[in-house]
Amino acid sequence: MSPGIPPAAFGASGLSGQILKEFDLTTSSSSTNLRKLSQTTAPDPIRGIGSKIEKPDYSESKIVVAMVGLPARGKSYLSNKLTIYLKWLEYDVKVFNVGQLRRSRAKQKAEQSGIREDHGAAYFSHDNEQATQTRDRLASDSLDMLIDWLKQGGNVGIHGKQKIEKRVAREKGMQVIFLESICDDPAIIAANVALKVQSGDPDYASHSREEAKRDFLRRIEAYEKVYETITEPHLSYVRIKNVGDESTLSHINGYLQSRIAFFLMNLHVKPRSIFFSRHGESMFNVEGKIGGDSPLSPRGKQYASALPKLVKEVIGDRPLTIWTSTLARTIETADQLPYPKLTWKSLDELDAGVCDGMTYEEIEVQYPEDAANRDNDKFNYRYRGGESYRDVVVRLEPVIMELERQEDVLVVGHQAILRCLYAYFRDLSQEDLPYIKIPLHTVIKLTPKAYGCDEERFPVAIEAVDTHRPKPNVTRQPEASHHTSRQYFADTDEIQSPTVFE
């Protein structure tokens, strides 16, 4: 079992990899070919034309996630990860951050009146009655914004704990789940404090790092005097200790609450990297054909032979697990890598249905409507008898969950599959996802940070065909943001619209 897997008491037994492998294989069907399953389960489209898949109807899902915990205990990390995960699954999610609202209103006040408020440790002392009243008003305003947003169609709003239960109880169809992050690990607390004072927080714009650290520690002391952990037996809550060491659940009800709880239980903050590599160039790549189960080309075999040296240089002596699909080209690419391997049916390439084994030129001739419709909405377009990118995102959810549990993993996969996984970790939109450039003969290294991922790419000097098809009718192609730091201000409409961490 990987050291990054949560305790066995919460479903993370040492057999997790094998169990998930068996689950992955059995849930697809008794059939040995997922593509056959896709053909039997997909809705019957108009003859000769694939179908457009609509976003699931989540309109009845209305949940407020109330964050509980002292400063520097990982609340921002948890809320950020939860936001990315739920957005990837196409829930409408926003973080309503009272601290962001406070900073933005103080900034606006300074610009309009020249008066700069002091938001040092004294401002957060509960002995400071005026500041306490101001902070209570901000929390109330932020919560009202959240509730209005849910009424307008939002699904999950993330907020602080302040006076939230009674307020939400007045709203029909809304539920509250408390997420408490507690931490007694000095190393994690010290790292979070360092991140706070080094991340450009405008509260400390005029302070040295040492001054900022001292003030922030005093702020924490002020909260410690009044902090109370969740003890109410009737509340729905998830309590996370040391960001992944231990989880406690109470009164988790319904599909979405269970999904949120299970995801949070699988997170950890141990240093790790996730590596992506497409299979080596295949014969179908050379011939311009999509799908299939073709072997590697001669250049693809060269890449497979060169991959072990590159991986060793990048990973060093750290343990590594290799994941592949069940298709020959990924297994052949990973064959010479001297690490444990796990095969996932869910990692098989997007099923092109009746277009499997065809070139794009052949598709344009035989199925011109399909070619045009897919270019018009590539994420939602489902091949006749096959899959859409939306379908692939759904089947990759168990893979995402297991990637969050693990430490260092190299996924040897396919273009569409790696686009979906990359989009999750880099927080890219569904609209941009199908156009992410994942070239052949390149290893991509993603290193998760508190507010994003650092990325490095390691191309191997072995030529391969370019299978990337750029996004049509745009002047700028999609790319991931390079910032991995916290954003402290929203747009100029901050007072009307709360901060969204995206």
Side-chain angles (χ1 to χ4, degrees):
M1 181 176 70
S2 166
I5 296 179
F10 298 98
S13 72
L15 298 176
S16 61
Q18 182 61 31
I19 291 172
L20 278 168
K21 179 180 178 181
E22 292 173 0
F23 173 81
D24 183 49
L25 291 172
T26 57
T27 54
S28 62
S29 164
S30 59
S31 167
T32 59
N33 193 328
L34 183 63
R35 301 180 189 282
K36 294 179 181 178
L37 175 69
S38 301
Q39 292 176 14
T40 59
T41 59
D44 291 333
I46 300 171
R47 183 172 180 81
I49 303 176
S51 56
K52 178 180 177 180
I53 309 305
E54 298 296 334
K55 176 182 176 179
D57 182 7
Y58 294 139
S59 59
E60 298 302 315
S61 300
K62 305 289 181 184
I63 290 182
V64 179
V65 178
M67 304 300 300
V68 185
L70 291 166
R73 264 55 176 185
K75 298 192 303 297
S76 295
Y77 170 77
L78 292 174
S79 65
N80 186 54
K81 290 292 293 185
L82 180 60
T83 299
I84 291 172
Y85 169 69
L86 292 175
K87 282 172 54 183
W88 191 71
L89 294 176
E90 296 190 272
Y91 288 95
D92 199 357
V93 190
K94 280 188 179 181
V95 176
F96 292 73
N97 189 299
V98 178
Q100 291 276 39
L101 187 59
R102 167 180 61 80
R103 280 183 283 267
S104 293
R105 287 187 174 177
K107 180 182 179 183
Q108 186 182 64
K109 180 178 179 179
E111 292 172 347
Q112 292 177 349
S113 67
I115 299 174
R116 297 188 177 276
E117 296 180 352
D118 182 3
H119 290 174
Y123 178 86
F124 298 92
S125 170
H126 286 262
D127 295 330
N128 187 336
E129 293 185 7
Q130 183 178 355
T132 299
Q133 292 174 2
T134 300
R135 288 186 284 110
D136 285 346
R137 284 196 301 272
L138 287 167
S140 179
D141 289 350
S142 182
L143 184 54
D144 285 342
M145 292 175 181
L146 183 154
I147 289 172
D148 287 345
W149 175 79
L150 286 177
K151 289 179 177 178
Q152 294 167 14
N155 300 130
V156 180
I158 302 176
H159 197 271
K161 180 186 178 183
Q162 303 96 323
K163 302 178 181 179
I164 204 167
E165 185 182 11
K166 291 183 179 179
R167 176 67 181 87
V168 176
R170 303 204 305 261
E171 304 297 334
K172 184 179 179 181
M174 295 187 188
Q175 301 173 313
V176 178
I177 176 173
F178 291 87
L179 171 53
E180 182 174 22
S181 181
I182 61 176
C183 184
D184 59 10
D185 186 328
I188 294 177
I189 296 172
N192 288 338
V193 170
L195 180 65
K196 172 74 172 181
V197 301
Q198 294 172 13
S199 61
D201 189 332
D203 289 349
Y204 299 122
S206 61
H207 294 64
S208 68
R209 286 189 178 179
E210 284 303 313
E211 290 172 336
K213 181 178 178 180
R214 285 194 296 269
D215 186 88
F216 187 54
L217 291 175
R218 288 195 296 270
R219 183 190 302 189
I220 294 174
E221 290 175 2
Y223 277 105
E224 286 176 333
K225 292 177 181 178
V226 296
Y227 180 73
E228 295 179 351
T229 188
I230 296 176
T231 57
E232 297 88 338
H234 66 284
L235 294 181
S236 298
Y237 69 83
V238 179
R239 179 180 293 123
I240 307 293
K241 184 177 181 181
N242 294 331
V243 200
D245 280 356
E246 183 179 311
S247 303
T248 305
L249 310 183
S250 178
H251 295 289
I252 299 301
N253 302 301
Y255 177 69
L256 182 53
Q257 282 196 20
S258 299
R259 213 167 188 177
I260 289 171
F262 187 62
F263 173 74
L264 292 168
M265 288 164 54
N266 284 283
L267 298 178
H268 69 87
V269 290
K270 294 183 179 181
R272 49 98 176 240
S273 292
I274 298 160
F275 302 88
F276 296 144
S277 171
R278 288 178 65 185
H279 53 77
E281 180 188 72
S282 71
M283 292 306 300
F284 264 28
N285 291 149
V286 174
E287 296 165 6
K289 297 177 180 179
I290 63 174
D293 194 14
S294 70
L296 297 182
S297 72
R299 293 187 301 196
K301 293 178 180 179
Q302 291 178 40
Y303 177 70
S305 297
L307 193 55
K309 180 181 178 181
L310 173 60
V311 171
K312 179 67 174 178
E313 291 173 351
V314 174
I315 197 74
D317 295 325
R318 288 151 52 192
L320 180 68
T321 302
I322 310 297
W323 293 0
T324 73
S325 74
T326 66
L327 300 178
R329 54 194 183 274
T330 64
I331 295 173
E332 189 177 356
T333 301
D335 183 60
Q336 300 177 51
L337 291 166
Y339 303 98
K341 299 180 180 71
L342 180 66
T343 300
W344 287 78
K345 187 72 174 174
S346 291
L347 290 175
D348 284 3
E349 180 60 302
L350 184 151
D351 183 356
V354 297
C355 298
D356 190 78
M358 298 173 65
T359 67
Y360 285 110
E361 292 74 19
E362 289 170 342
I363 295 171
E364 289 177 359
V365 171
Q366 295 190 38
Y367 304 103
E369 297 97 335
D370 290 65
N373 290 338
R374 191 164 193 261
D375 278 347
N376 185 52
D377 190 356
K378 194 172 180 180
F379 181 76
N380 291 301
Y381 180 79
R382 177 187 283 169
Y383 282 108
R384 183 160 63 97
E387 291 181 299
S388 66
Y389 270 92
R390 183 188 295 280
D391 295 322
V392 173
V393 164
V394 172
R395 71 167 155 99
L396 284 177
E397 186 183 3
V399 178
I400 287 292
M401 200 71 71
E402 188 67 6
L403 278 173
E404 289 288 9
R405 292 158 60 97
Q406 298 294 327
E407 294 186 15
D408 292 330
V409 173
L410 166 59
V411 181
V412 180
H414 306 271
Q415 181 169 247
I417 302 302
L418 296 185
R419 280 172 170 165
C420 294
L421 297 178
Y422 180 94
Y424 168 76
F425 284 101
R426 297 309 311 271
D427 191 21
L428 293 174
S429 69
Q430 284 87 359
E431 181 183 359
D432 290 342
L433 183 158
Y435 301 100
I436 299 168
K437 192 160 190 175
I438 309 287
L440 289 165
H441 300 176
T442 301
V443 173
I444 300 172
K445 176 184 179 183
L446 299 181
T447 303
K449 301 290 186 179
Y451 298 102
C453 281
D454 287 343
E455 177 179 337
E456 297 177 82
R457 295 199 176 202
F458 302 90
V460 175
I462 297 171
E463 289 189 9
V465 296
D466 183 2
T467 61
H468 181 74
R469 291 166 61 86
K471 190 173 185 178
N473 305 318
V474 296
T475 56
R476 185 176 181 181
Q477 293 297 312
E479 60 180 351
S481 169
H482 294 291
H483 78 77
T484 56
S485 60
R486 184 172 183 173
Q487 306 301 296
Y488 283 97
F489 292 107
D491 296 331
T492 54
D493 63 347
E494 169 63 31
I495 303 305
Q496 290 76 34
S497 176
T499 302
V500 183
F501 291 96
E502 295 184 342

